[in-house]
Amino acid sequence: MKNDENTRKKELVCGNPRIWKDPPGAMMYCSGCQHPVIHRIISEVLEEMDIYEEAICILGVGCHAFIQVSWSIDTLSCAHGRALDSATAIKRLNPDAIVFTVQGDGDCLAIGAGAFIGAMTRGERITTIMYNNTNYGTTGGQLAPTTLIGQKTTTTPLGRNPKLEGYPVRAAELAADFEGTVYSARGSVNSPANYKRAKKYIKKAFQKQIDGLGYSFVEVLSACPPNWHLSPVDCIKRIEEEIIPEFPLSEIKG
Amino acid sequence: MAERMFVQGNEAVGWGALYAGCDGFFGYPITPQNEVTQWFASEFPKRGKVFLQSQSEVGSINMLYGGAAAGFRVMTSTSSPGWGLMQETISHCVAAELPCIIVLVQRGGPGAGSIRHAQMDYISVTRGGGQGGYKNIVLAPASVQEIHDLVQLAFYLADKYRNPTIVLADGILGQVSESVDVKTIDFGPLNEKDWALRGIGKQKDGKCRLINSAAGVLPVPPYPNYISWLRHMDEKYKQMEADELRYETYKAEDAELILIAYGYTARVSKETVNMARLQGLKVGLIRPITAWPFPYDIIREKAIQGCKFLVVVDSLGLLIEDVKIAVESRADVGLVSILDRHLPTDGGMIMPGRVFEEVKRLI
Ligand code: SF4
């Protein structure tokens, strides 16, 4: 972290983070989508911690990846599920860089499960922000590892049946189980208070990387109105009433 | 200054990479190339370079994708089943224009096949085996010295074209030990990697870099749309084809029968040419050093002159397809294949004596 007090604000009081492009690429998202809110938190954190000049973001495949047109830090868009492999190599080759992945729940936990487990097994000194909207948004709302029991998706039209499709994966708890993981938390952006908490979690996760301690992971719940077939306001309600009880918000490790 | 060493082919991969300024090696265990991975594990970390054992070949190739994007010289080594697993991201590397090196030590297939030598991946290597159709320069060494030299050339060509480059070896070449001059080979200057991801604080212009492999989803500057980007890729492939063809001819000048072979079977074929010449038979060899681009023109020229051809390859054929494309039905093309090995087991090899029998039958 740099100490250039005169030229950089430590805390964003108002306005957009400077790495946030104007006009933001958020117009690529459906109305009520919370992905851009999480993007903004990451941008604020990078700026407030003064690490955006060293930051390299590695993206998975999914709606989250549209961040690449919304901010102005170095960014790599990867093959589906492979962000943590690519991030591993970048951090090993360039240990001074702040290397983090932004991934969806399908990208990280289904197709990318091998890369996820591999990075945690090795205790890579990188950070993952995983967006959990309990389905595959981009492709039209299919079953994801995080889909709730009974939740209707385009590939579980009768609702997720544990006998057929198994149970939701709690990624933050899974991550915490690895010795190589030094920080794991789950946040949400359904209220201003939770927004602040999620931001605190993401800040802590980056700090663990700066301290060179190991792998840090933050899962953030996110609304997906068109695929949940709910209005943005009802999405917030669903997060409070149905999702948070299944995916409790807390710091699980660290 | 060159250092003279007596080393195994698999070790020569490492020495070539080291002297080419390779920054990182990422690999997964698979026979018959484990000596390559082990060489990097013991030699790279003590020199401050990165060695990492990945969780799979899928992991290895995606580590290359990241390492290359960050501007480093990176490589992996694998054998045929691992090669199969890497196809998806080799295609992504081509699309994102990321230079990296994949050494493929071929073994028997299909499936798990055998764990010993073979030359059975020729088609997927030379045609762009992954999704979407693309081209990689494929360098096919036939000696330990050439492994060392071509690994270095591979790094140069990868950077020159911003494209993966494949070094196509086999289990026999990997195990052979020969004397090698180990040194850095200067292929000329290269452009600075000002496209690489380093963090905006390290970019000379202070502007962010974005690398993706989906030019049809988000346009990749300076190409305004998918087709203009594809045109750029097409031009690049054509330039590789025009400028990077390499092959060796051996006693082909006055030959009536020309053997075509790469890798270990090219060594066998050279031996056969010598046997034939001792008996006054006009036999020569054309050895592709680049399996892609392929030396179609010289083979066609020889076909027009009335030469016959004999393909010698440790597979069911594969290479013969390129020779047939080259001769355009002007000449007979014979084949000595994996079915002609001296033993019917995975340890069998194509021997000069068997090739010579076929030479005598054809000439
Ligand atoms: S489909 Fe869902 S995740 Fe994707 S942009 Fe729309 S709301 Fe957001």
Side-chain angles (χ1 to χ4, degrees), chain B residues 55 74 89 129 155 181 187 225 231 254 261 264 276 280 331:
Chain B
Q55 75 279 6
V74 287
T89 296
F155 276 107
D181 283 333
F187 298 101
N225 53 46
R231 185 168 292 119
D254 62 342
Y264 103 81

Side-chain angles (χ1 to χ4, degrees), chain A residues 53 68 74-75 77 85-86 89, chain B residues 55 62 65 199 203 209 211:
Chain A
E53 291 199 331
Q68 61 191 284
D74 280 7
T75 302
S77 183
D85 291 332
S86 300
Chain B
Q55 75 279 6
N62 284 284
Y65 184 88
Q203 302 294 4
R209 303 291 187 270
I211 296 177

Side-chain angles (χ1 to χ4, degrees), chain A residues 20-29 36 66-67 69-71:
Chain A
W20 192 255
K21 274 187 199 163
D22 201 22
M27 71 270 272
M28 300 188 82
Y29 291 91
F66 289 119
I67 182 68
V69 296
S70 298
W71 62 18

Side-chain angles (χ1 to χ4, degrees), chain B residues 290-327:
Chain B
T290 49
W292 190 88
F294 188 78
Y296 294 111
D297 290 350
I298 176 74
I299 294 173
R300 186 172 303 119
E301 219 173 88
K302 291 288 172 189
I304 291 168
Q305 288 168 19
C307 287
K308 291 178 183 170
F309 297 89
L310 178 61
V311 171
V312 184
V313 66
D314 203 6
S315 69
L316 289 173
L318 307 181
L319 173 65
I320 203 170
E321 291 181 15
D322 271 332
V323 179
K324 283 183 174 168
I325 290 170
V327 304

Side-chain angles (χ1 to χ4, degrees), chain A residues 105-169:
Chain A
D105 45 287
D107 188 85
C108 184
L109 303 177
I111 193 167
F116 183 41
I117 302 290
M120 293 190 292
T121 304
R122 295 186 301 265
E124 296 295 341
R125 286 153 181 77
I126 50 188
T127 304
T128 293
I129 320 294
M130 190 198 85
Y131 299 18
N132 175 2
N133 62 8
T134 74
N135 73 162
Y136 285 78
T138 324
T139 44
Q142 292 87 353
L143 170 80
T146 48
T147 298
L148 300 190
I149 300 296
Q151 182 180 336
K152 285 186 180 163
T153 71
T154 48
T155 50
T156 51
L158 303 176
R160 183 176 193 167
N161 175 353
K163 287 209 175 92
L164 296 174
E165 288 101 22
Y167 297 86
V169 175

